[in-house]
Amino acid sequence: MSTHPSLSLVSTPHAPAAVGPYTQAVRVGDLLFLSGSLGLDPTTGKLVDGGVEEQAKQALKNMKAVIEAGGSEIGKVVKTTVFLQNMEDFKAVNTVYSDFFGGHKPARSAVEVARLPLDALFEIEAIVRWVRQPKS
């Protein structure tokens, strides 16, 4: 089976490679669907040290790299889903998230999960608006 021509797979070396049989993002129509981003260092493939705040910062950087590779930008993020290993980290993650997005406030869900890949503390996925740029 192959990918349908209506779908464009997105990947970038500026974010960690997928840790399973999936792609970093898929663009369909005017939407970009991002797979979950963990706080992995793209050069080492290892979780960054420093706890949930540092993992959240790195995961958001990784997400931004994929969004930009897909031809969009942070201000066009429509919805995110945040997965936390421990809901006690909600306040600390909110601070990192707010600093990252600034005045842009996408719709969001946040859930506590039993376990994340690689025993991460934070993961984020997103749906992003994509608009074809006119050819110059």
Side-chain angles (χ1 to χ4, degrees), residues 21 39 45 48 56 80 94 126 129:
V48 295
T80 64
N94 265 347
R129 176 99 156 89

Side-chain angles (χ1 to χ4, degrees), residues 86-131:
N86 186 336
M87 195 56 79
E88 295 295 321
D89 294 328
F90 186 77
K91 185 176 179 180
V93 165
N94 265 347
T95 299
V96 172
Y97 186 94
S98 179
D99 289 347
F100 179 80
F101 280 104
H104 178 52
K105 295 189 178 3
R108 183 184 80 178
S109 300
V111 295
E112 180 181 87
V113 296
R115 193 169 181 197
L116 289 167
L118 307 176
D119 292 320
L121 304 175
F122 175 94
E123 183 173 12
I124 187 167
E125 64 181 26
I127 301 170
V128 184
R129 176 99 156 89
W130 177 80
V131 178

Side-chain angles (χ1 to χ4, degrees), residues 27-38:
R27 189 174 63 224
V28 60
D30 66 348
L31 293 175
L32 184 63
F33 293 85
L34 273 71
S35 297
S37 293
L38 298 172

Side-chain angles (χ1 to χ4, degrees), residues 2 4-5 19 22-23 30 32 43 47 50 58 65 67 69-70 76-77 86 91-92 111 119 123-125 131:
S2 61
H4 191 273
V19 296
Y22 56 90
T23 188
D30 66 348
L32 184 63
T43 58
L47 287 168
Q58 185 63 51
I67 289 170
K76 293 180 182 172
V77 173
N86 186 336
K91 185 176 179 180
V111 295
D119 292 320
E123 183 173 12
I124 187 167
E125 64 181 26
V131 178

Side-chain angles (χ1 to χ4, degrees), residues 37-78:
S37 293
L38 298 172
L40 296 172
D41 180 318
T43 58
T44 66
K46 306 278 186 202
L47 287 168
V48 295
D49 293 329
V52 70
E53 291 172 78
E54 291 306 312
Q55 285 188 27
K57 287 176 188 175
Q58 185 63 51
L60 290 163
K61 285 181 197 172
N62 295 340
M63 181 185 75
K64 181 177 187 238
V66 175
I67 289 170
E68 290 174 350
S72 196
E73 59 192 60
I74 293 301
K76 293 180 182 172
V77 173
V78 176

